Amino acid sequence: MTGTVSDSEGQEVKKARPYGKRNPDAVIEERRKRLYKRQLSGLTVRQLVLEHSDRESIAEATAWRDWEAVKQWNEEDWAKDKESIISRIQAMRLRAIDAAIRKGQIGSAQLLMRDLGAVVGEVSPEVLAQTQAPSLSIVVEDKRNGTAQE
């Protein structure tokens, strides 16, 4: 139940809502969680929001507000996962390289190892050759004035 109560100074203070399924905040939270789970279905954002509006029998504007909350959750998730994502990708690459070698897929293993090498700073011979290519500088001396021009 919601309502107002008077505090010790006589001012009205909004009373906290109890927890439970009938609490409107809990209902909204559960509705947003369903949208969050549904977002990996491959639909576009607009399709997700319109479908969410139909499924939950809510206004389209409310569905867009729910999407904004879900988008905020996604940003929070990314901020939490960002630190560990590189090590997780590296572990996946190593498992994929191992599986490719065991199955005799040498070409796939070679490409994966090249990607792994690029991440750790190893450069391929082609790139190394381009960065260490010789440079040619031609200097023409003007015999009349005694100065050099490039």
Side-chain angles (χ1 to χ4, degrees), residues 34-112:
R34 287 189 290 273
L35 178 60
Y36 181 80
K37 290 177 186 176
R38 186 89 173 106
Q39 70 180 331
L40 295 177
S41 64
L43 299 174
T44 64
V45 173
R46 184 176 303 278
Q47 289 171 324
L48 274 172
V49 169
L50 294 175
E51 184 179 286
H52 179 64
S53 174
D54 289 341
R55 280 181 181 229
E56 301 291 337
S57 300
I58 56 175
E60 192 175 323
T62 304
W64 280 108
R65 279 193 299 274
D66 287 353
W67 174 252
E68 288 300 318
V70 168
K71 195 165 66 169
Q72 181 65 33
W73 292 349
N74 288 334
E75 290 171 8
E76 290 170 10
D77 289 348
W78 175 247
K80 291 175 187 173
D81 287 344
K82 198 181 332 185
E83 294 102 26
S84 66
I85 195 84
I86 292 176
S87 62
R88 288 172 34 204
I89 289 173
Q90 292 299 82
M92 286 188 267
R93 279 188 180 124
L94 291 171
R95 282 193 308 271
I97 290 168
D98 185 50
I101 290 172
R102 271 193 266 121
K103 291 182 180 182
Q105 298 172 345
I106 305 302
S108 297
Q110 179 186 10
L111 290 172
L112 289 165

Side-chain angles (χ1 to χ4, degrees), residues 107-124:
S108 297
Q110 179 186 10
L111 290 172
L112 289 165
M113 284 189 274
R114 186 172 56 194
D115 290 344
L116 183 62
V119 170
V120 297
E122 178 188 64
V123 292
S124 66

